[in-house]
Amino acid sequence: MPKQIQLDAEQTIYQASETHHALVNALNETAGIDLDLSKVQEADSSFVQILLWLQQESTRLAKPVQLLNPSPSLCTVIQLLGLQDAFPSDFGAAS
């Protein structure tokens, strides 16, 4: 059963190390991750890099990862970086 994780509102360079460490541990200790992104109100490119890494690592380890409920502000960052195609289709739907 995938581990449910909900991230805090701020996901910037200042939280990157802690967020990355938590996701590494979750991937190593569980069968997969359901990552709820609905509360992310501030994000930067370091967080987007973590999400890209998480998708690649989950494929490498054959452990499913679902990126769920992206917040409008996260969708905006993804769009500004031109990375909509690297994420599930709902990431392109900033409101």
Side-chain angles (χ1 to χ4, degrees), residues 10 13 27 32 34:
E10 191 172 338
I13 190 70
L27 265 182
D34 286 344

Side-chain angles (χ1 to χ4, degrees), residues 18-54:
E18 181 181 334
T19 299
H20 182 262
H21 184 71
L23 293 172
V24 166
N25 286 341
L27 265 182
N28 289 331
E29 296 170 359
T30 65
I33 298 173
D34 286 344
L35 189 61
D36 187 344
L37 301 166
S38 61
K39 294 193 187 236
V40 175
Q41 295 305 309
E42 186 175 351
D44 64 11
S45 61
S46 66
F47 181 60
V48 175
Q49 286 178 304
I50 290 170
L51 294 178
L52 292 169
W53 163 83
L54 180 62

Side-chain angles (χ1 to χ4, degrees), residues 3-21:
K3 179 176 183 163
Q4 303 279 330
I5 298 174
Q6 181 156 35
L7 294 179
D8 295 331
E10 191 172 338
Q11 294 298 322
T12 65
I13 190 70
Y14 302 108
Q15 294 79 28
S17 179
E18 181 181 334
T19 299
H20 182 262
H21 184 71

